[in-house]
């Protein structure tokens, strides 16, 4: 009985970790996305326009607003049709940011809600109070970073990764250590009543969390899927414009790759086709 209980507890906590970590990739690819989407740029959205910038690669900075385009400080001539496409692209990105921010917030809240449920179930006394306070602080920190980042019009993949690594993943790691330590101690104590009580807590939590997380994850999934039509539209605009850089390459603000590819080379070939279309 002892080993299955310990293993079951570990699986339960790892499930919480997975739920918390899902928000890292939310919004880039679901069944309703035509392709997998990403961008090599950090993006700043302000009233003055839309800025794409990076420290590795060229062009380093692209700025567009109301159909006008500037690349690395140089104004670029664009056709009337391309100006309209750039105008629509900017509008699409402006509408996308609040949706991504909302999904990121809900992903964080869902992850911390699950960790709080685990803490309330397995931790006792001073340990419970201390862990709950830490989770509360970490959640507030993660939400604040989202609000100051994508929520304020500033997208950075590195910043989003740091938010989840620093706030969510650290909390999961601490929680795993605490819960598994308690489970091992109970199992090794030889106290069958204590082991049975912990087993009952785990089974009750498993059922409760399954219902709650299933409901919330379905709601989050629906919001995630709603993003893909907008990403599909941005991809079509990028494919359609004829804007070329000084080196002759097409203006590419987002990377478009085929979904579920088993071959990196085929991904690269498709990417080249898209970029040259």
């Amino acid at each position: 009985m002892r080993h299955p209980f310990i293993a079951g507890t570990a699986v339960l906590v790892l499930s919480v970790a997975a739920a918390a970590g899902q928000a890292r990739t939310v919004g880039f690819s679901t069944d309703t996305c035509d392709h997998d989407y990403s961008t090599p740029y950090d993006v700043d959205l302000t009233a003055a326009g839309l800025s794409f910038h990076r420290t590795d690669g060229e062009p380093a900075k692209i700025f567009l607003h109301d159909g006008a385009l500037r690349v690395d400080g140089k104004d670029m001539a664009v056709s009337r049709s391309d100006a309209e496409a750039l105008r629509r692209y900017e509008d699409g990105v402006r509408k996308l940011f609040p949706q991504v921010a909302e999904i990121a917030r809900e992903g964080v809240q869902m992850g911390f809600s699950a960790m709080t449920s685990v803490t309330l179930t397995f931790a006792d006394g001073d340990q419970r109070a201390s862990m709950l306070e830490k989770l509360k602080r970490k959640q507030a920190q993660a939400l604040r970073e989202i609000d100051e980042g994508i929520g304020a019009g500033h997208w950075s993949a590195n910043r989003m990764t740091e938010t989840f690594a620093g706030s969510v993943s650290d909390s999961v790691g601490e929680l795993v250590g605490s819960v598994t330590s308690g489970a091992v101690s109970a199992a090794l104590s030889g106290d069958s009543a204590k082991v049975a009580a912990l087993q009952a807590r785990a089974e009750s939590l498993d059922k409760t969390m399954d219902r709650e997380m299933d409901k919330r994850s379905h709601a989050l999934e629906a919001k995630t899927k709603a993003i893909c039509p907008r990403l599909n539209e941005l991809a079509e605009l990028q494919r359609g414009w004829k804007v070329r850089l000084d080196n002759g390459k097409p203006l590419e603000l987002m990377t478009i790759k085929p979904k579920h590819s088993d071959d990196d080379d085929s991904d690269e070939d498709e990417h080249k086709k898209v970029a040259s279309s």
Side-chain angles (χ1 to χ4, degrees):
M1 177 178 178
R2 294 175 182 176
H3 296 298
F5 172 69
I6 295 172
T9 302
V11 168
L12 177 63
V13 179
L14 289 175
S15 297
V16 174
Q22 283 174 355
R24 287 180 62 177
T25 54
V26 137
F28 288 95
S29 181
T30 73
D31 291 340
T32 56
C33 282
D34 292 341
H35 296 82
D36 289 336
Y37 302 117
S38 62
T39 179
Y41 295 97
D42 290 342
V43 185
D44 289 326
L45 189 162
T46 69
L50 203 58
S51 173
F52 295 79
H53 49 92
R54 58 184 173 181
T55 56
D56 184 18
E58 295 182 351
K61 186 172 183 179
I62 299 170
F63 182 84
L64 57 95
H65 181 56
D66 195 24
L69 174 67
R70 190 163 63 248
V71 178
D72 287 338
K74 177 183 177 181
D75 290 332
M76 304 291 289
V78 298
S79 67
R80 182 175 299 178
S81 61
D82 283 341
E84 178 57 26
L86 291 170
R87 195 174 288 113
R88 290 173 57 195
Y89 194 94
E90 180 183 358
D91 181 64
V93 173
R94 288 185 181 279
K95 291 176 179 176
L96 180 65
F97 266 47
Q99 290 180 277
V100 175
E102 182 179 2
I103 287 171
R105 290 188 194 98
E106 292 196 17
V108 164
Q109 290 169 342
M110 187 170 71
F112 276 97
S113 176
M115 288 186 282
T116 297
S117 295
V118 172
T119 301
L120 288 171
T121 299
F122 290 104
D124 295 307
D126 292 341
Q127 182 191 44
R128 173 190 288 185
S130 175
M131 291 180 65
L132 289 175
E133 180 59 31
K134 286 183 180 179
L135 287 175
K136 184 178 179 180
R137 288 201 310 271
K138 290 284 189 178
Q139 179 176 354
Q141 175 187 341
L143 292 174
R144 183 169 57 253
E145 290 176 359
I146 290 170
D147 289 341
E148 293 173 352
I150 184 70
H154 309 293
W155 163 260
S156 168
N158 288 337
R159 182 171 181 173
M160 289 294 288
T161 299
E162 290 170 2
T163 293
F164 285 94
S167 298
V168 180
S169 298
D170 286 354
S171 298
V172 170
E174 185 175 352
L175 186 56
V176 169
S178 175
V179 171
T180 54
S181 174
V184 170
S185 297
L188 296 179
S189 70
D191 188 335
S192 58
K194 182 182 293 186
V195 172
L198 285 174
Q199 180 72 50
R201 290 188 197 179
E203 291 175 354
S204 175
L205 177 63
D206 192 26
K207 294 176 182 178
T208 302
M209 190 174 292
D210 273 350
R211 290 194 301 269
E212 179 63 21
M213 296 298 284
D214 186 64
K215 179 180 177 181
R216 296 183 68 170
S217 64
H218 275 88
L220 188 59
E221 182 181 7
K223 291 186 177 182
T224 301
K225 286 183 175 181
I227 279 183
C228 277
R230 197 174 301 283
L231 288 170
N232 295 338
E233 291 172 6
L234 293 176
E236 287 303 312
L237 286 169
Q238 179 172 292
R239 284 195 187 95
W241 62 47
K242 304 301 182 184
V243 182
R244 292 295 184 269
L245 303 175
D246 286 342
N247 59 10
K249 293 183 178 180
L251 174 66
E252 185 176 315
L253 300 176
M254 63 191 297
T255 302
I256 307 166
K257 291 188 177 182
K259 299 180 63 172
H260 312 305
S261 173
D262 296 326
D263 190 328
D264 288 340
D265 291 335
S266 65
D267 277 5
E268 183 65 22
D269 290 343
E270 179 67 15
H271 175 59
K272 289 178 180 178
K273 291 178 183 178
V274 170
S276 62
S277 61

